């Protein structure tokens, strides 16, 4: 059920559609229904972009960061059996106009080119990937009215959903933890209904991964993140500065710019899975790419597994999945990469010259055991089925 009220002057063309002629030639206007713009093919295409549930959850956090309006945000993720909830307090929030955009698949309002959620489809596709339906409770900054929309079956319906005339949410229906939100502050709570059972989200793992993806945003105080009530700590790469000095990196090429640093990662001091060797690329404080080498063959020596750095990228645009930049493959990107690698040569040479074998971490040992067990199982199944290859003389 939906409890909202649309602004009557949202767009001139919308208003004309809602005007009705009276016998005496006068005009009156009525509040329009909120009807979803829906195409099953678009929904399935947007859902297919995600490789895992973490990527989908990041989209919901990205939306909050895009509309922070310079305010400090509090974002909370709760993982329950019957619902996954992502709640953010602070920033612009959402009102009737934003809800109209939210339910429009394949169409978006004008966005800041520097917004993380540049394409305006992430929250909807994330909800479709994570569960069967969704519920949104929200208010816009500067307003006292709360609104709620619910779609219990995102892709199972045969026609676009008509949410009806939007009315403000009755105060008694607002969850108790949202009643204390100040009028000046925006808030959005997105609940994923009937989460997919195969997601297998682990709170501790999600906290660590969010600390890597949003580490810079957490570090500068822009946002406070919590998963199941426990705070997310920013990832701070442990570097072996005594062995190899940190190198500063900065390059520009026709509007594109990268700046940051690189050095030798102390893999033994990493808790959990170490970051991918190579350069991690950040955009607006959010990690987009990990393990970039700009075309260099990193498998020359095992010691290069300790090469790690972080770069801020400016003047580029992430792809829809936020796993790469659309400029990758361009001449400018290649020129930028060559210059970055040239500046990183002191670190690369130092690592090549150590002659030290790659240090094996506990994570590496666990991964090796898992692979060994899977290979043993597969070979045994082949023997049981008497599968034999004729590889010739």
């Amino acid at each position: 059920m939906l409890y909202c009220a649309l602004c009557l002057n949202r767009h001139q063309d919308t208003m004309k559609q809602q005007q009705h002629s009276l016998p005496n030639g006068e005009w009156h206007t009525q509040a329009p229904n909120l009807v979803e713009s829906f195409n099953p093919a678009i929904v399935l295409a947007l859902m297919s972009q995600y490789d895992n549930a973490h990527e989908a959850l990041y989209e919901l956090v990205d939306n909050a960061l895009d509309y922070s309006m310079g305010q400090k945000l509090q974002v909370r993720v709760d993982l329950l059996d019957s619902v996954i909830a992502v709640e953010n307090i602070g920033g612009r929030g959402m009102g009737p106009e934003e809800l109209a955009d939210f339910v429009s698949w394949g169409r978006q309002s004008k966005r800041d080119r520097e917004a993380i959620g540049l394409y305006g489809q992430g929250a909807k596709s994330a909800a479709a990937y994570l569960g069967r339906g969704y519920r949104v409770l929200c208010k816009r900054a500067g307003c006292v009215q709360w609104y709620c929309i619910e779609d219990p079956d995102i892709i199972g319906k045969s026609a676009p959903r008509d949410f009806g005339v939007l009315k403000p949410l009755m105060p008694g229906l607002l969850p108790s933890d949202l009643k204390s939100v100040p009028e000046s502050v925006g808030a959005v709570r997105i609940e994923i209904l009937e989460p997919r059972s195969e997601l297998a989200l682990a709170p501790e793992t999600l906290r660590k991964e969010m600390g890597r993806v949003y580490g810079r945003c957490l570090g500068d105080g822009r946002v406070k993140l919590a998963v199941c009530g426990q705070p997310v700590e920013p990832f701070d790469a442990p570097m072996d500065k005594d062995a190899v000095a940190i190198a500063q990196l900065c390059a520009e090429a026709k509007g594109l710019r990268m700046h940051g640093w690189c050095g030798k990662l102390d893999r033994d001091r990493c808790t959990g899975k170490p970051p991918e060797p190579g350069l991690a690329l950040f955009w607006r404080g959010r990690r987009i790419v990990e393990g970039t080498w700009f075309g260099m063959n990193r498998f020359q020596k095992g010691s290069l597994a300790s090469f790690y750095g972080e770069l801020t990228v400016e003047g580029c645009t992430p792809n829809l999945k936020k796993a790469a930049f659309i400029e990758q493959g361009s001449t400018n990107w290649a020129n930028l990469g060559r210059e970055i690698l040239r500046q990183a040569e002191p670190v690369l040479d130092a690592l090549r010259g150590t002659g030290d074998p790659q240090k094996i971490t506990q994570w590496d040992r666990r991964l090796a055991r898992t692979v060994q067990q899977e290979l043993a199982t597969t070979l045994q199944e082949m023997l049981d089925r008497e599968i034999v290859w004729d590889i010739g003389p």
Side-chain angles (χ1 to χ4, degrees), residues 225-368:
L225 281 170
V227 176
C228 297
Q230 296 297 316
V232 175
E233 299 296 337
F235 174 71
D236 186 12
M239 307 302 294
D240 191 349
K241 300 178 183 179
D242 294 332
V244 178
I246 298 293
Q248 299 300 316
L249 310 173
C250 184
E252 296 186 46
K254 295 183 180 180
L256 306 185
R257 184 171 185 262
M258 295 183 186
H259 56 94
W261 53 268
C262 66
K264 181 182 180 181
L265 180 72
D266 191 338
R267 294 170 63 88
D268 287 340
R269 289 167 51 203
C270 291
T271 57
K273 180 183 177 182
E276 288 288 328
L279 297 167
L281 307 184
F282 290 79
W283 192 67
R284 298 200 72 195
R286 194 237 206 245
R287 193 195 70 195
I288 302 296
V289 183
E290 187 180 30
T292 294
W293 290 84
F294 294 110
M296 189 189 86
N297 178 16
R298 72 177 182 91
F299 299 103
Q300 300 172 54
K301 288 187 177 180
S303 57
L304 290 185
S306 297
F307 176 74
Y308 178 77
E310 296 183 356
L311 293 173
T312 294
V313 179
E314 299 172 356
C316 296
T317 305
N319 63 8
L320 184 62
K321 188 180 175 182
K322 298 191 185 73
F325 291 92
I326 62 175
E327 289 80 6
Q328 289 181 227
S330 68
T331 301
N332 286 348
W333 186 275
N335 292 337
L336 219 62
R338 281 193 291 269
E339 177 59 22
I340 289 292
L341 291 177
R342 186 192 68 78
Q343 296 177 18
E345 273 301 318
V347 174
L348 295 169
D349 288 342
L351 292 174
R352 292 188 188 104
T354 59
D356 294 334
Q358 178 180 341
K359 292 182 178 180
I360 306 300
T361 65
Q362 290 296 326
W363 174 271
D364 296 326
R365 292 189 179 93
R366 287 196 296 270
L367 180 60

Side-chain angles (χ1 to χ4, degrees), residues 4-7 10-11 34 63 67 69 92-104 107-111 120 123-124 134 136 138-141 143 145 147 149 166 186-188 190:
C4 300
L6 276 179
C7 299
R10 182 169 183 266
H11 295 295
L34 182 63
N63 273 12
Y67 298 108
M69 297 174 62
R92 185 199 67 180
M94 291 174 64
E97 294 189 36
E98 291 77 27
L99 285 172
D101 285 332
F102 185 87
V103 300
S104 297
R107 179 178 65 83
Q108 62 172 359
S109 59
K110 184 177 180 181
R111 282 189 164 221
K124 299 185 286 290
Y134 67 81
V136 179
C138 58
K139 71 176 289 291
R140 211 181 195 284
C143 298
Q145 295 90 354
Y147 310 94
I149 62 172
L166 309 182
V188 178
I190 298 179

Side-chain angles (χ1 to χ4, degrees), residues 132-178:
R132 182 171 183 176
Y134 67 81
R135 180 186 299 116
V136 179
L137 293 96
C138 58
K139 71 176 289 291
R140 211 181 195 284
C143 298
V144 296
Q145 295 90 354
W146 283 82
Y147 310 94
C148 177
I149 62 172
E150 180 176 329
D151 186 344
D153 192 359
I154 302 175
I155 61 175
K157 51 184 176 286
S158 58
R161 189 168 300 281
D162 186 345
F163 294 98
V165 178
L166 309 182
K167 298 179 180 179
L169 182 66
M170 298 174 62
L173 299 177
L174 188 66
S176 57
D177 63 321
L178 296 178

Side-chain angles (χ1 to χ4, degrees), residues 54-63 65 116 206-220 222-223 225 232-235 282 284-287 322:
H54 287 188
E55 292 182 356
L57 283 171
Y58 299 158
E59 289 287 352
L60 304 181
V61 178
D62 291 344
N63 273 12
L65 290 171
I116 298 175
L206 181 59
R207 272 192 291 270
K208 289 181 179 179
E209 288 302 311
M210 280 191 161
R212 296 171 186 265
V213 174
Y214 298 103
R216 294 190 172 188
C217 300
L218 291 163
D220 62 21
R222 268 186 286 169
V223 61
L225 281 170
V232 175
E233 299 296 337
F235 174 71
F282 290 79
R284 298 200 72 195
R286 194 237 206 245
R287 193 195 70 195
K322 298 191 185 73

